[in-house]
Amino acid sequence: KRIMLDTPDWRGSLAGWLDSLDAIAERPDAEGVVRASLLADMRPVAGDLALGERLRGAMLGRLRESSVLLKYMAREATRFSPPLGSFGGLFGGLSVQRDGPKKGTLDLKRGGVFPVTLGAKVLCVDHGLDAVSTASRLKALDREGALSTGLALGLVEACDFLQTLRMRHQADQLRQNLPPDNDIRPDGLGAMERDRLRSAFKLVAEFQSLLFEKYGLRMLG
């Protein structure tokens, strides 16, 4: 679904948005989790900025009050495991697709960027922190004491590295007139980059374990 102002579902009055948020918070479903995740990134940039700030503040308050919605958002952040394999394997501890058109590749976004982005978002909403970018959220969580300094700053560095690999890969695809994706081949990286990639994914796995325990996700099945 297009998330643009020309899409009726993404236009509404303050009262209409608050009613929508109440409905999502009371009965979170798959679509509601996606909408809540997107709305948590909302920030006013034009028009009545004061009205936008009122909506943002009310929205974050409603999301924070719904422990069930936060659990479902956290579960989404743990849905995809980082592509880690045995250390002595062919790709030095990285797991790749074994067959199909993407054989020999791994997905940087699904197994790395997405869990950190959404996980940091959930924790910031839960702690009432008004940061927006992933890096600023992780640093705010460090200052709040919600994450250890080592894990928070490690995840900032890991995300930066993963995004650098993504952009480099996608730039190469565009130069070849190919549609950009997130699937890189570890055998195309040098040994040092593979080591950094494995370390980044290990931090993502550690972060997911923290979310899993904090939100009691085993109870969701």
Side-chain angles (χ1 to χ4, degrees):
K1 185 178 292 186
R2 297 179 68 245
I3 305 174
M4 305 289 287
L5 287 178
D6 61 359
T7 304
D9 285 350
W10 290 95
R11 298 198 306 269
S13 64
L14 176 61
W17 273 116
L18 295 182
D19 287 344
S20 177
L21 284 165
D22 285 340
I24 291 172
E26 289 173 7
R27 288 189 173 182
D29 56 15
E31 183 177 353
V33 169
V34 171
R35 287 174 69 86
S37 176
L38 291 168
L39 288 169
D41 288 332
M42 187 272 290
R43 52 185 169 180
V45 295
D48 189 338
L49 300 184
L51 181 61
E53 289 295 348
R54 283 177 58 199
L55 173 57
R56 177 169 170 76
M59 174 199 67
L60 292 176
R62 278 163 165 73
L63 296 182
R64 188 183 186 190
E65 291 167 3
S66 176
S67 60
V68 175
L69 178 58
L70 291 175
K71 282 180 183 288
Y72 276 89
M73 290 175 68
R75 184 171 71 172
E76 281 299 295
T78 64
R79 188 155 61 100
F80 303 117
S81 299
L84 290 166
S86 60
F87 181 76
L90 181 61
F91 299 108
L94 298 169
S95 177
V96 300
Q97 291 288 326
R98 296 185 177 276
D99 49 38
K102 296 184 179 181
K103 181 179 180 180
T105 70
L106 56 80
D107 190 327
L108 289 172
K109 183 177 180 180
R110 187 172 75 165
V113 175
F114 175 76
V116 179
T117 300
L118 183 53
K121 189 182 304 185
V122 173
L123 287 173
C124 276
V125 171
D126 199 356
H127 286 271
L129 301 175
D130 194 29
V132 177
S133 73
T134 299
S136 64
R137 281 170 170 155
L138 290 168
K139 292 173 183 177
L141 290 166
D142 172 26
R143 292 191 296 270
E144 181 75 7
L147 289 179
S148 69
T149 298
L151 180 56
L153 299 186
L155 287 169
V156 171
E157 184 176 341
C159 261
D160 184 61
F161 177 63
L162 293 171
Q163 295 285 39
T164 297
L165 289 182
R166 283 181 72 204
M167 288 187 289
R168 190 175 73 190
H169 168 67
Q170 291 175 356
D172 286 341
Q173 289 181 304
L174 290 172
R175 280 192 291 268
Q176 300 173 54
N177 294 317
L178 297 172
D181 59 32
N182 302 295
D183 306 306
I184 69 161
R185 300 186 63 90
D187 58 3
L189 303 176
M192 290 184 64
E193 285 190 324
R194 285 199 299 271
D195 286 344
R196 286 190 67 186
L197 187 55
R198 183 177 65 252
S199 296
F201 284 141
K202 284 183 176 180
L203 281 174
V204 175
E206 180 182 346
F207 185 47
Q208 287 182 316
S209 293
L210 181 152
L211 294 170
F212 192 86
E213 293 301 324
K214 175 177 175 58
Y215 292 99
L217 298 184
R218 64 170 48 88
M219 302 299 293
L220 291 181

